[in-house]
Amino acid sequence: MTDAPWWASAVVYQIYPRSFADCDGDGIGDVPGIISKLDYLHELGVDVVWISPFYRSPMDDNGYDISDYRDVDPVFGTLADLDELIAQLHARGMKLVIDVVVNHTSDEHPWFVESRASKDNPKRDWYWWRPAHDGREPTNWIAAFQGSVWELDPTTDEYYLHLFSRRQPDLNWENPEVRAAVYEMLRWWLARGVDGFRMDVINYISKRLPLQDGPPIPNSRYGNGSAFYWCGPRIHEFLHELNTEVIASQDRQLLTVGEMPGVTIEDAQRFTDPANAEVDMVFQFEHVGLDHGPGGRYDLAPLRLTDLKRSLGRWQEGLAKSGWNSLYWNNHDQPRAVSRYGTDDPEYRVRSAKLLGTVLHLHRGTPYVYQGEELGMTNYPFASIDELRDLDSLNYYAAATAAGRDADAVFAALRTRSRDNGRTPMQWDASEHAGFTTGTPWIAVNPNHVEINAAAQGDDPDSVFRHYQQLIALRHELPVVAHGEFSMLLPDDEHVYAFTRRDQGVELLVIANFGAAEQAVDLPDWADAELVLGNYPDHGAELTLRAWEARVLISTPGGPMR
Ligand code: TEU
């Protein structure tokens, strides 16, 4: 597979800069902090770093509300720091992917400041402005962060559209000037040396016209507008245009990944088929929605392993012939993987964290490691709403309690699902504030940092960190990990996740027991196969998996190869 793109055998590490490492003691992580940890990332073995937004921002949504695309927010450092980061990554053979948030800007972005100034401002049409409809909002859609997607602006007495917070007005991609301005900005970043883009909610940029009411949401005054903005009619045209204007003209191969809530396999096939020149891969949301009830992410539903396997298995199959998967368990919007899909039980936490890494990294696609996942960092034991910082959590709490829902029940859901679970500071060592800052951290450090931290794991050959290091090395060393064909096994087994990968006669079997009870696996052909990697120190009984045990077995035409 020599013609395969470099990112097929790469592993990406996501940094949420606010929570990674703080150099100047203000309690907020920064770019110099990231630079100070590059040896750690190099030791882990990752190929690419993706940083969540570091641009100038009023921080209504921790930087996903950008007021200047061409500068670094002073809280994170300077442009010179960013140049230094790029240089230092490249010096270590690593690449940088930056987060591009162009479905919306901050309401403090000069484009929006102009747009709202008057109805005849040249930038008026850069955003979505509408008059009232029968004395109320132009459509009934609910915003991702609660309330209407429409905000009445007193300056001109018209509403503007914001699919997220009222401080994140949506750009009007129908306007070619908007698209040209975005492309120019992206080229500016490529000229600075960045190696790719993670594109925030990029499948929302094409809106279905005319904008009209969506189906009403039960027990709500709002409706669901997603049919008007999930993969709208011009989405493929826009992404192809972006590719042509920004990506294709480069003399090096970049990495582009589109974050796409609600994307289907069929859409993803089209987005990621190289023949269409749109994006290299997408972040799909199906598997992280399986434990959501009808009320959404804060409506807790049990997760069945068979559903998880069916979902991920379908995505593997759907993108097998052309296109490519991205693989993730968690990111800055999700609770911690080990607490959600594994277990926090101290007896099995380490094993289950290794199991999750093993299962994910051996799927076909590009794996993403979210900061702290490689340590098995857990959800935070939030005790009260005052400890939460995320506007999504706080807005949801306010809306749900105002609607008469029991405050304790609402909080219990947030405790499990709040995005802040993934945003507590990186646990570097056992010292105060986990070595994240010498100041007061902007959000509490998990008290379990005394036990779960990078310093302790670096010294421990059996740590989660060492296991991730091995998984990443395996992808680099064995072509079957990057390229092999995927087949799901035992689809109806509620406890064991099992699949094979096959490439040029080499076959891997991955078997993982998602629970504490022992499971016998009925795959007799594999009884004598060689163990490549496992999360127990010894081989164990033939194909009987112990609590949270994961094994990777190999069979090669000429016998043992490693
Ligand atoms: O997230 C998009 C998104 O739809 C969700 O994952 C979001 O976290 C969820 O709707 C909240 O319940 C992206 C970013 O990853 C996220 O951090 C931003 O807040 C959001 O876009 C707006 O830019």
Side-chain angles (χ1 to χ4, degrees):
M1 275 265 185
T2 43
D3 57 346
W6 62 266
W7 38 254
S9 49
V11 176
V12 183
Y13 188 92
Q14 183 195 350
I15 290 180
Y16 194 64
R18 205 176 177 79
S19 305
F20 192 63
D22 174 26
C23 259
D24 62 5
D26 65 356
I28 299 174
D30 44 41
V31 177
I34 299 173
I35 295 172
S36 75
K37 300 297 184 186
L38 292 185
D39 287 337
Y40 169 85
L41 298 178
H42 190 54
E43 193 188 346
L44 180 59
V46 294
D47 307 271
V48 183
V49 169
W50 147 35
I51 326 188
S52 281
F54 49 74
Y55 315 89
R56 251 184 212 273
S57 162
M59 304 289 168
D60 185 49
D61 187 16
N62 290 354
Y64 281 89
D65 50 318
I66 298 172
S67 55
D68 185 349
Y69 288 106
R70 303 189 193 205
D71 202 2
V72 174
D73 195 90
V75 93
F76 293 134
T78 62
L79 258 186
D81 293 329
L82 205 91
D83 290 341
E84 176 69 10
L85 173 65
I86 296 171
Q88 295 254 2
L89 278 165
H90 288 171
R92 289 169 177 80
M94 292 188 276
K95 296 180 192 281
L96 181 66
V97 163
I98 61 172
D99 212 311
V100 171
V101 189
V102 288
N103 172 68
H104 44 269
T105 66
S106 161
D107 61 343
E108 292 185 24
H109 194 290
W111 297 342
F112 188 71
V113 172
E114 280 191 51
S115 184
R116 82 187 328 173
S118 67
K119 286 186 185 172
D120 57 5
N121 186 281
K123 291 215 165 47
R124 183 65 168 183
D125 187 46
W126 282 43
Y127 293 84
W128 294 94
W129 291 98
R130 290 288 188 276
H133 179 72
D134 292 342
R136 51 169 291 171
E137 294 94 356
T139 69
N140 66 352
W141 311 348
I142 193 169
F145 298 146
Q146 307 303 319
S148 171
V149 297
W150 296 101
E151 180 76 7
L152 184 61
D153 194 42
T155 319
T156 53
D157 204 32
E158 282 193 332
Y159 291 85
Y160 65 84
L161 177 75
H162 60 87
L163 296 180
F164 291 88
S165 95
R166 66 164 64 87
R167 306 211 50 198
Q168 295 168 302
D170 279 52
L171 281 166
N172 177 10
W173 276 67
E174 298 292 320
N175 184 331
E177 289 172 11
V178 168
R179 306 204 299 275
V182 168
Y183 304 152
E184 196 191 320
M185 177 272 288
L186 296 177
R187 285 190 297 259
W188 184 85
W189 278 106
L190 289 175
R192 283 201 107 81
V194 308
D195 305 290
F197 304 114
R198 177 268 187 190
M199 304 176 189
D200 193 63
V201 288
I202 201 68
N203 63 326
Y204 288 21
I205 58 177
S206 163
K207 273 68 171 173
R208 188 175 302 282
L209 301 172
L211 310 182
Q212 288 172 333
D213 282 354
I217 297 169
N219 307 316
S220 165
R221 62 168 285 230
Y222 299 108
N224 181 345
S226 59
F228 291 88
Y229 53 81
W230 278 2
C231 300
R234 300 184 70 186
I235 185 62
H236 293 284
E237 175 197 335
F238 291 162
L239 285 181
H240 181 66
E241 184 182 80
L242 185 154
N243 190 293
T244 311
E245 293 279 331
V246 180
I247 311 293
S249 55
Q250 297 294 308
D251 54 8
R252 62 212 162 104
Q253 195 172 36
L254 304 171
L255 185 165
T256 57
V257 50
E259 189 214 24
M260 300 195 175
V263 71
T264 64
I265 294 177
E266 294 68 34
D267 295 326
Q269 285 167 338
R270 193 163 160 199
F271 283 122
T272 67
D273 184 338
N276 298 335
E278 295 183 25
V279 291
D280 297 324
M281 56 192 109
V282 306
F283 289 131
Q284 57 95 2
F285 280 65
E286 194 177 282
H287 66 300
V288 291
L290 295 172
D291 56 3
H292 296 179
R297 73 180 283 154
Y298 302 118
D299 179 2
L300 273 47
L303 174 67
R304 294 170 65 90
L305 188 69
T306 45
D307 288 339
L308 183 65
K309 293 193 290 187
R310 189 174 314 116
S311 170
L312 290 175
R314 283 176 55 245
W315 278 86
Q316 289 287 305
E317 209 177 297
L319 299 182
K321 300 256 175 337
S322 62
W324 191 249
N325 271 293
S326 65
L327 308 169
Y328 73 96
W329 288 135
N330 49 192
N331 56 43
H332 64 293
D333 294 332
Q334 299 292 335
R336 288 282 174 185
V338 71
S339 305
R340 185 182 191 180
Y341 304 109
T343 174
D344 285 348
D345 177 343
E347 200 177 340
Y348 302 122
R349 182 188 59 81
V350 169
R351 270 193 223 297
S352 74
K354 292 180 183 176
L355 169 143
L356 291 172
T358 307
V359 169
L360 190 80
H361 282 242
L362 290 162
H363 277 71
R364 186 164 180 273
T366 299
Y368 287 72
V369 179
Y370 177 61
Q371 65 183 43
E373 177 183 345
E374 78 283 14
L375 305 175
M377 274 177 61
T378 66
N379 281 354
Y380 185 92
F382 292 111
S384 94
I385 189 73
D386 318 327
E387 293 177 326
L388 296 174
R389 298 283 175 271
D390 174 28
L391 89 164
D392 183 42
S393 298
L394 299 177
N395 289 359
Y396 174 75
Y397 184 82
T401 52
R405 303 238 341 256
D406 175 61
D408 291 341
V410 174
F411 180 69
L414 284 170
R415 195 172 197 268
T416 311
R417 289 285 162 77
S418 171
R419 305 197 295 184
D420 281 337
N421 281 300
R423 298 177 178 188
T424 63
M426 181 72 179
Q427 295 168 201
W428 293 108
D429 59 40
S431 70
E432 198 190 5
H433 309 319
F436 163 69
T437 181
T438 53
T440 306
W442 70 275
I443 188 170
V445 172
N446 198 313
N448 67 18
H449 75 274
V450 292
E451 189 204 338
I452 305 173
N453 65 68
Q457 299 200 21
D459 295 338
D460 174 5
D462 293 327
S463 63
V464 180
F465 179 88
R466 294 288 166 208
H467 192 84
Y468 266 75
Q469 208 178 27
Q470 287 172 292
L471 286 168
I472 295 164
L474 213 55
R475 174 165 294 259
H476 294 153
E477 285 162 22
L478 291 182
V480 64
V481 175
H483 308 294
E485 206 177 286
F486 179 100
S487 307
M488 190 69 84
L489 305 178
L490 313 177
D492 301 323
D493 192 308
E494 210 50 79
H495 308 283
V496 176
Y497 202 124
F499 57 90
T500 57
R501 302 290 308 283
R502 189 201 305 259
D503 181 55
Q504 299 175 33
V506 177
E507 197 168 0
L508 291 181
L509 172 72
V510 180
I511 38 175
N513 176 11
F514 274 68
E518 203 171 88
Q519 302 293 333
V521 178
D522 187 21
L523 293 170
D525 291 353
W526 286 90
D528 301 321
E530 188 195 350
L531 184 72
V532 179
L533 185 65
N535 61 354
Y536 271 76
D538 61 286
H539 199 296
E542 277 177 15
L543 298 192
T544 294
L545 295 174
R546 292 160 284 185
W548 294 98
E549 181 169 10
R551 286 188 211 168
V552 183
L553 302 172
I554 192 163
S555 105
T556 50
M561 65 173 271
R562 278 172 59 87

